[in-house]
Amino acid sequence: MFRILVLHGPNLNLLGTREKSIYGVQTLNEVNMAIGQLARREGVHVEARQSNHEGELVTWIQETHGQFQALVINPAAYTHTSIAIRDAIVAVGIPAVEVHLSNIHRREPFRKRSLIAPVALGQISGFAATSYLLGVQAAIDYLRMKSPDEKKEIKHLDRGAMRS
Ligand code: DQA
């Protein structure tokens, strides 16, 4: 089964209360639940983590080696500043999809530049929580294209429940 790590960067723990007109009303927990539903439907394992600390995000990216096959990351403000996150993605060679809730190209000039985009498979920006779902789907499709023989999780029927 494919294993995908979703990383949320700084201030994304405040989703649902933070600048709702820009980032939407869904909480991080609700976003993660929607990602979980998609993962179950697609038969992949997705783990989601959030950190306000650049070094912690770097460590988690380093630790994907041998644990996860793809990364979906909203680096938040670190998108525009973090050579360390970019270098970590390159160092472990993990296929990464960059996602943003807002359309960073329609906002302040300093948000238009992403240090991550040049080392990502692609960038999805501007669809609120749906950006994450599109990003996870893109990662799944990429992995399936690369390894078409990987098995989906087989859901075993609960025979007891069927009998009753
Ligand atoms: C963001 C855009 C960034 O510019 C900003 O710093 C964020 C969130 C987004 O998802 O739209 O914190 O990554």
Side-chain angles (χ1 to χ4, degrees):
M1 204 197 325
F2 291 125
R3 293 174 58 85
I4 297 170
L5 180 64
V6 175
L7 290 184
H8 307 281
N11 298 308
L12 294 173
N13 53 316
L14 300 180
L15 283 183
T17 56
R18 171 194 184 205
E19 297 181 278
K20 288 190 241 177
S21 60
I22 297 175
Y23 298 118
V25 294
Q26 277 187 290
T27 63
L28 188 61
N29 197 31
E30 288 166 344
V31 171
N32 285 338
M33 280 180 4
I35 293 170
Q37 276 174 3
L38 171 63
R40 277 190 293 283
R41 245 190 350 259
E42 292 291 337
V44 300
H45 173 84
V46 175
E47 193 172 314
R49 301 180 200 158
Q50 188 276 331
S51 179
N52 292 328
H53 304 279
E54 185 177 19
E56 188 161 41
L57 293 163
V58 167
T59 299
W60 286 340
I61 294 167
Q62 289 179 4
E63 288 172 355
T64 58
H65 186 71
Q67 300 293 320
F68 295 94
Q69 284 97 51
L71 173 71
V72 174
I73 182 166
N74 182 349
Y78 290 138
T79 306
H80 319 296
T81 61
S82 181
I83 299 171
I85 290 177
R86 175 192 172 125
D87 283 354
I89 292 170
V90 174
V92 292
I94 189 158
V97 181
E98 177 186 344
V99 300
H100 298 283
L101 298 144
S102 64
N103 181 349
I104 59 173
H105 303 285
R106 289 178 64 157
R107 300 183 61 195
E108 303 94 326
F110 66 84
R111 292 189 204 275
K112 292 187 203 296
R113 185 183 73 146
S114 167
L115 296 185
I116 311 305
V119 301
L121 295 173
Q123 183 193 69
I124 298 164
S125 180
F127 299 97
T130 303
S131 292
Y132 281 99
L133 304 181
L134 295 170
V136 170
Q137 191 65 59
I140 295 169
D141 290 358
Y142 173 83
L143 292 172
R144 288 202 178 125
M145 190 185 66
K146 297 286 271 183
S147 312
D149 294 333
E150 184 87 13
K151 294 276 177 300
K152 269 193 171 190
E153 181 188 18
I154 313 259
K155 292 230 164 63
H156 294 286
L157 290 171
D158 177 353
R159 288 166 201 274
M162 281 182 72
R163 260 186 246 117
S164 62

